[in-house]
Amino acid sequence: MTDLGTSPDEVQFRFRDDEPADHGTVTADACCDQTNATAVRIEPGDDARTLLPFLDRLALIEVNFPSFGDGRGYSSARILREAGYTGELRAVGDLGIDQLSHMRRCGFDAFAPDKPLDAEDAERAFSTWDNVYQRTTDGRRTIPELRHE
Amino acid sequence: MYKYDSYDQQMVDARVEEFRDQARRRLEGKLTEDQFKPLRLMNGLYLQLHAYMLRVAIPYGTLNSAQMTALGDIADKYDRGYGHFTTRQNLQYNWIKLEDAADILADLAKVEMHAIQTSGNCIRNISSDHFAGAAHDELVDPRPYAELLRQWSSFHPEFTYLPRKFKIAVIAAEKDRAAMRLHDIGIQIVEKDGKIGAAFYVGGGMGRTPMIAPMIRDFVPLDQLITYAEACLRVYNRYGRRDNKYKARIKILVHELGKDEYTRQVEEEYAHMQQQGVEPPREELERIKPFFADPAFEVGAKSVDRSDPDFALWVDRNTHRHKHDSYVSAVISLKPVGGIPGDATGEQIRIMARLAQQYSFDELRIMHTQNVVLPHVKIEDLHALWTALDAADLGAPNMDSIEDMIACPGLDYCALANARSIPLAQRISEKFDASGKTEKLGELKLKISGCINACGHHHAGHIGILGVDRKGVENYQLSLGGSEAEDTSLAKITGPGFTEDGVIEAVEKVTDVYLDVREDGERFLDTYRRIGMAPFKEALYD
Ligand code: HEM
Ligand code: SF4
């Protein structure tokens, strides 16, 4: 099996305390056929919902962004979190500073950008929004909710 | 009118700071132009032929006089003294420097304004009926729903990198004054069995492949409005085409899947979304509604003194029936004869602001026809208002006439243009004014786009003109029979294109055909629909 995933060393930002999964990553198709895979990578065109039957055994899902302008991975991430996936959700590929805060809100908790990002800029980006309008699975209370506490 | 609370203000302030930081990184060379482009676009900053262009959002086209004044001041301080009102009820500055952009955004934020999501592949400014809250024929004021959608769509984490831009319009009258079915999502607030809800039309649009949105659901309960919109967007974000930017709009997805299959997918996603609790609490809509409550209308005169014919003409042409019988909505035409459609000087913008304060409960609206409305004017104040407007060259009595045309910036400003639109618009309005024909023609919507992108709505013009490039020569295609109103239709091309002089002559000819054969009370559009294309073609090409 060829390993197509990123290694933990390539992860620049991680918001989890557990040990990073360090094992071969397979394609979404392979994941469905292969009963022992614990890490998978999905591409923009893959349907994240094909993974739902296997979420229990997955410790790492990588969502690839070959180009930052292709936003399908944001939906994939939310779909996985909405289905109750609690393992590592790693955004990989063409990530920039300015995508980080939205990605985080969609459920990504690890980031492996192709080109390392300026750490200070990234920190600022992660904390861009004191409050948010939309409900996602990140558990933040939304502005409409805060208004009516 | 809606007022920001500290949360709304904080969001806009955060965005100004974020943009300042992005501009800094661009100037420091940490961002390439390729990387910076989507970020500046997310803040309404385009690079055009001669300068940067900044597009300011005017949510659902409603603003107060302090905001309008700020727009006038920015025109003088950072632009060459002009603002340009657009068909999406926004305002554009055509001569902006990158170094100034963050300061302009900060000036805007002081009056609760911004340029957020006025470009880029995200959910754009929500548009609505320019007579909302004033019109005699509306079910309810659509703007509270538009405001709910505004908040939801601002910085939406999932829908910031859509296949293509996404435009939403909300109306609440049978009469459609917002081109609702030519939007990616058109929402009509409707009543069914005594309950208020929303009908969803999805997959309309103009551009190179114009389409009229089909209705995909006739009634979404109001406490599921956001949830349903979210489902529509998610299906689009996942399955909209990304291989070809000309096929990336949701209209193509709906067309390729078929309305039924798209609807099925949305309904499936909707069922799932309902479990996710994405709908804002019910109290939020109730909090928003009072901001749009009626101002304190007073009973007064119900008619005007018509002894001055110029004034009487303006009243007939440029006012719209109000729900209160002592008031009207007054349309300020930004189409003076020979002017640039939609342009106003900084001083004119401030004058309109002052008049709104004086005569319209501090409120103004921007129309998609690139005009300005004072929504609530007392009938007895009309003469004073008109006198002030006329003195500021804002009193053209031409709403919905051929002179009230829409024209995009075209080759004078736009990097994508094939042909000029502005000079053509100027010449046509001068010609029809001089011949006195405007009056005879009555309602006639002429719309001009400088290229296939259709920013000037030419597909929806009773008469449409499209600039095309023929072997390096500007050439214009004429089309007839479009409408953006509740009887939405797409215009059909008459035949081979024309030169600039030729197309002006062609407009003259088709209006002559109409005047010859029209029957009682028929508008140009009605006559076209009755007699079809053939008589017009004959006049043009034989
Ligand atoms: C000068 C800079 C401008 C540029 C570069 C520009 C660019 C574009 C492009 C590329 C499209 C086609 C999008 C598509 O079909 O996917 C488009 C559509 C449109 N633009 Fe513009 N535009 C400009 C100015 C304006 C102005 C000034 C207005 C308003 C007067 C406007 C209103 C619209 C509208 C209403 C559409 C049609 C939306 C639809 O396809 O449904 N644009 N624009
Ligand atoms: S229609 Fe074409 S020429 Fe006109 S503003 Fe739009 S992109 Fe530019």
Side-chain angles (χ1 to χ4, degrees):
Chain A
M1 182 176 65
T2 52
D3 181 1
L4 48 66
T6 48
S7 86
D9 313 339
E10 293 165 74
V11 174
Q12 197 185 354
F13 310 103
R14 194 162 185 277
F15 297 83
R16 304 177 64 90
D17 299 330
D18 57 354
E19 279 297 302
D22 187 11
H23 29 228
T25 307
V26 302
T27 63
D29 282 350
C31 175
C32 299
D33 305 337
Q34 221 171 296
T35 52
N36 58 350
T38 58
V40 60
R41 164 184 287 218
I42 59 177
E43 299 297 330
D46 293 336
D47 179 1
R49 290 200 162 105
T50 59
L51 298 183
L52 300 192
F54 317 107
L55 292 184
D56 284 349
R57 67 164 148 89
L58 291 174
L60 169 65
I61 301 176
E62 292 188 1
V63 178
N64 189 25
F65 288 84
S67 151
F68 75 89
D70 185 336
R72 286 177 284 186
Y74 294 84
S75 290
S76 300
R78 270 187 88 192
I79 284 167
L80 293 166
R81 290 299 189 207
E82 285 165 1
Y85 174 66
T86 55
E88 179 172 335
L89 192 53
R90 188 183 294 172
V92 307
D94 184 21
L95 318 181
I97 292 290
D98 303 281
Q99 286 83 52
L100 298 178
S101 64
H102 283 340
M103 287 183 161
R104 188 85 181 93
R105 292 224 61 214
C106 286
F108 288 106
D109 54 11
F111 300 84
D114 283 343
K115 293 193 205 81
L117 302 173
D118 185 300
E120 224 173 279
D121 290 342
E123 195 180 331
R124 211 177 3 247
F126 279 121
S127 57
T128 302
W129 309 112
D130 289 334
N131 290 294
V132 295
Y133 285 118
Q134 307 81 4
R135 176 85 166 264
T136 69
T137 46
D138 67 357
R140 295 179 69 171
R141 316 255 316 134
T142 65
I143 290 171
E145 285 165 338
L146 292 169
R147 281 177 177 142
H148 300 286
E149 306 223 278
Chain B
M1 239 188 80
Y2 187 71
K3 268 208 76 51
Y4 281 6
D5 67 0
S6 57
Y7 292 113
D8 296 313
Q9 188 67 48
Q10 196 182 47
M11 294 302 283
V12 171
D13 291 345
R15 175 41 81 84
V16 174
E17 285 320 303
E18 188 190 45
F19 182 72
R20 213 180 266 290
D21 188 54
Q22 289 162 350
R24 173 186 64 76
R25 281 183 282 130
R26 172 73 188 113
L27 294 167
E28 286 173 5
K30 283 185 181 168
L31 290 173
T32 63
E33 170 54 22
D34 271 359
Q35 291 167 321
F36 183 57
K37 187 175 168 192
L39 307 176
R40 65 170 164 74
L41 284 181
M42 225 69 90
N43 289 285
L45 198 62
Y46 283 79
L47 190 53
Q48 283 305 305
L49 283 178
H50 315 290
Y52 280 97
M53 173 196 98
L54 180 72
R55 188 181 286 161
V56 178
I58 301 174
Y60 30 92
T62 295
L63 73 175
N64 63 28
S65 54
Q67 294 172 322
M68 190 76 164
T69 302
L71 294 178
D73 291 344
I74 289 170
D76 285 341
K77 190 165 162 195
Y78 302 104
D79 191 273
R80 297 189 176 171
Y82 284 92
H84 179 76
F85 292 96
T86 79
T87 47
R88 297 221 70 253
Q89 300 178 297
N90 291 330
L91 180 109
Q92 281 178 197
Y93 296 111
N94 283 320
W95 300 99
I96 294 302
K97 296 193 197 68
L98 178 57
E99 303 85 282
D100 289 336
D103 290 336
I104 301 176
L105 295 182
D107 283 3
L108 288 169
K110 282 184 209 142
V111 289
E112 306 182 4
M113 294 189 94
H114 58 74
I116 294 160
Q117 292 173 210
T118 56
S119 50
N121 294 333
C122 51
I123 304 174
R124 304 288 189 87
N125 187 32
I126 314 271
S127 58
S128 186
D129 185 340
H130 43 253
F131 294 135
H136 63 97
D137 59 357
E138 74 185 6
L139 177 66
V140 291
D141 190 334
R143 291 172 302 164
Y145 310 100
E147 171 58 26
L148 198 67
L149 287 158
R150 179 194 74 82
Q151 294 183 24
W152 161 74
S153 61
S154 296
F155 320 109
H156 197 296
E158 185 177 340
F159 305 134
T160 298
Y161 298 96
L162 294 167
R164 203 74 179 82
K165 57 172 144 178
F166 204 90
K167 304 180 178 184
I168 301 179
V170 190
I171 64 171
E174 284 302 321
K175 208 155 167 54
D176 180 1
R177 291 173 282 256
M180 182 271 285
R181 293 185 69 188
L182 295 169
H183 282 73
D184 296 286
I185 294 183
I187 295 175
Q188 183 179 354
I189 305 298
V190 293
E191 186 169 16
K192 192 176 162 190
D193 306 327
K195 284 211 163 66
I196 305 277
F200 269 67
Y201 295 81
V202 182
M206 290 190 249
R208 67 185 61 215
T209 328
M211 288 191 192
I212 298 172
M215 182 166 72
I216 68 159
R217 204 178 219 263
D218 67 351
F219 194 85
V220 175
L222 280 186
D223 57 4
Q224 298 295 332
L225 185 68
I226 297 301
T227 310
Y228 200 78
E230 187 128 348
C232 292
L233 261 302
R234 178 173 284 178
V235 172
Y236 171 56
N237 191 42
R238 300 186 74 207
Y239 298 112
R241 287 183 61 169
R242 291 174 188 265
D243 58 326
N244 178 340
K245 92 178 211 190
Y246 300 120
K247 299 199 166 160
R249 295 288 290 269
I250 194 173
K251 63 192 170 189
I252 304 292
L253 177 68
V254 174
H255 182 74
E256 286 182 353
L257 286 178
K259 172 199 139 198
D260 293 340
E261 174 58 17
Y262 173 74
T263 307
R264 189 193 64 74
Q265 294 189 16
V266 169
E267 291 289 331
E268 207 171 274
E269 196 68 56
Y270 177 49
H272 163 74
M273 286 281 181
Q274 282 178 305
Q275 311 306 310
Q276 302 303 321
V278 295
E279 196 71 25
R282 273 210 88 123
E283 300 84 338
E284 181 56 12
L285 190 57
E286 298 311 316
R287 183 189 74 88
I288 292 171
K289 277 184 187 165
F291 287 109
F292 298 97
D294 284 347
F297 295 127
E298 290 166 7
V299 176
K302 312 232 185 300
S303 60
V304 296
D305 174 358
R306 301 178 60 88
S307 52
D308 178 344
D310 289 342
F311 171 58
L313 180 66
W314 181 80
V315 171
D316 292 343
R317 283 266 187 78
N318 284 37
T319 61
H320 187 261
R321 190 171 147 200
H322 198 276
K323 62 186 176 188
H324 191 295
D325 62 4
S326 304
Y327 287 78
V328 290
S329 300
V331 173
I332 304 176
S333 171
L334 299 182
K335 319 286 173 67
V337 175
I340 297 177
D343 264 20
T345 64
E347 183 57 18
Q348 284 177 321
I349 294 172
R350 283 187 295 268
I351 288 171
M352 291 188 271
R354 216 180 54 229
L355 293 171
Q357 197 171 29
Q358 206 168 348
Y359 297 119
S360 183
F361 296 96
D362 209 38
E363 221 184 291
L364 305 103
R365 309 290 175 75
I366 309 307
M367 301 171 79
H368 81 268
T369 52
Q370 307 178 276
N371 295 313
V372 175
V373 179
L374 301 186
H376 314 294
V377 180
K378 244 182 156 170
I379 290 174
E380 59 197 40
D381 288 338
L382 276 175
H383 193 271
L385 171 65
W386 171 75
T387 307
L389 288 173
D390 208 40
D393 202 15
L394 291 168
N398 56 13
M399 172 180 164
D400 286 344
S401 74
I402 192 165
E403 291 172 30
D404 185 13
M405 62 191 81
I406 292 178
C408 78
L411 201 52
D412 293 289
Y413 294 101
C414 177
L416 305 174
N418 287 323
R420 290 170 303 159
S421 337
I422 292 171
L424 188 59
Q426 290 170 315
R427 289 183 59 192
I428 292 175
S429 97
E430 279 164 356
K431 189 169 179 118
F432 279 79
D433 178 68
S435 70
K437 216 161 141 195
T438 303
E439 177 70 39
K440 278 185 238 151
L441 291 169
E443 181 184 315
L444 205 173
K445 299 188 178 177
L446 176 67
K447 302 179 198 275
I448 307 173
S449 304
C451 82
I452 193 75
N453 288 319
C455 303
H457 288 195
H458 66 277
H459 299 299
H462 297 179
I463 300 178
I465 297 177
L466 164 65
V468 289
D469 181 59
R470 281 207 43 200
K471 307 194 182 92
V473 181
E474 290 174 54
N475 189 268
Y476 296 91
Q477 254 173 19
L478 189 72
S479 54
L480 304 177
S483 168
E484 89 266 280
E486 58 284 359
D487 58 353
T488 320
S489 59
L490 300 171
K492 289 202 174 64
I493 296 171
T494 55
F498 304 90
T499 61
E500 184 175 324
D501 289 339
V503 79
I504 295 174
E505 207 178 306
V507 171
E508 189 85 54
K509 283 184 184 159
V510 296
T511 54
D512 284 339
V513 171
Y514 158 67
L515 290 176
D516 282 348
V517 305
R518 72 169 160 192
E519 294 179 352
D520 272 358
E522 267 183 354
R523 303 169 299 165
F524 179 91
L525 181 63
D526 304 321
T527 303
Y528 169 83
R529 284 177 177 168
R530 179 171 55 81
I531 67 175
M533 181 65 95
F536 293 100
K537 264 188 126 124
E538 212 170 288
L540 287 171
Y541 300 107
D542 284 355

